[in-house]
Amino acid sequence: MQKPSKKRCDATPVKLKADPTAEDFARLAWAIAHPARVQIVRLLIGREACVCGEIVDCLPLAQSTVSQHLKILKESGLIQGEVDGPKVCYCINPERLVQLKAFVTNL
């Protein structure tokens, strides 16, 4: 049986400073807040570029579901998509990845 924690809530009044990065951080964090999107990001980090069909082959998800996840990641700026004929070629946006890592590090 666990002993109850002796920690008490700190009742000291706190005033948060304005954080101009909070919204962007939340947008990036939400973009990777799904296991499939984490896997897609990891896949793209390990490759120079990848088309949607290759990503679908790596995941146990329907193409339409993967496309929705790619859309969310693209809207966050974490990945980029470039039309290559009838295909869209996706790659990681290294600047946004660095930004996400910095946000997490500075929590």
Side-chain angles (χ1 to χ4, degrees):
M1 185 169 177
Q2 265 187 334
K3 291 183 177 180
S5 173
K6 293 189 179 190
K7 287 185 177 180
R8 294 182 175 223
C9 290
D10 185 353
T12 307
V14 175
K15 186 168 184 171
L16 291 174
K17 293 186 245 175
D19 182 354
T21 66
E23 192 169 316
D24 196 29
F25 183 17
R27 188 178 308 116
L28 283 170
W30 186 81
I32 62 162
H34 189 283
R37 294 196 290 271
V38 170
Q39 287 184 290
I40 291 169
V41 167
R42 285 183 172 153
L43 174 69
L44 293 175
I45 287 172
R47 300 183 63 163
E48 190 171 316
C50 200
V51 294
C52 183
E54 294 171 323
I55 297 168
V56 170
D57 290 343
C58 295
L59 295 169
L61 300 171
Q63 191 272 330
S64 59
T65 304
V66 172
S67 291
Q68 284 296 313
H69 288 305
L70 288 168
K71 180 178 180 239
I72 291 167
L73 289 167
K74 191 174 173 189
E75 287 173 352
S76 75
L78 203 50
I79 68 170
Q80 299 167 318
E82 183 177 306
V83 176
D84 182 17
K87 302 174 186 173
V88 179
C89 197
Y90 293 96
C91 65
I92 202 80
N93 179 344
E95 291 85 19
R96 289 293 277 169
L97 183 60
V98 166
Q99 200 170 26
L100 174 60
K101 289 178 178 179
F103 285 148
V104 172
T105 299
N106 292 318
L107 271 176

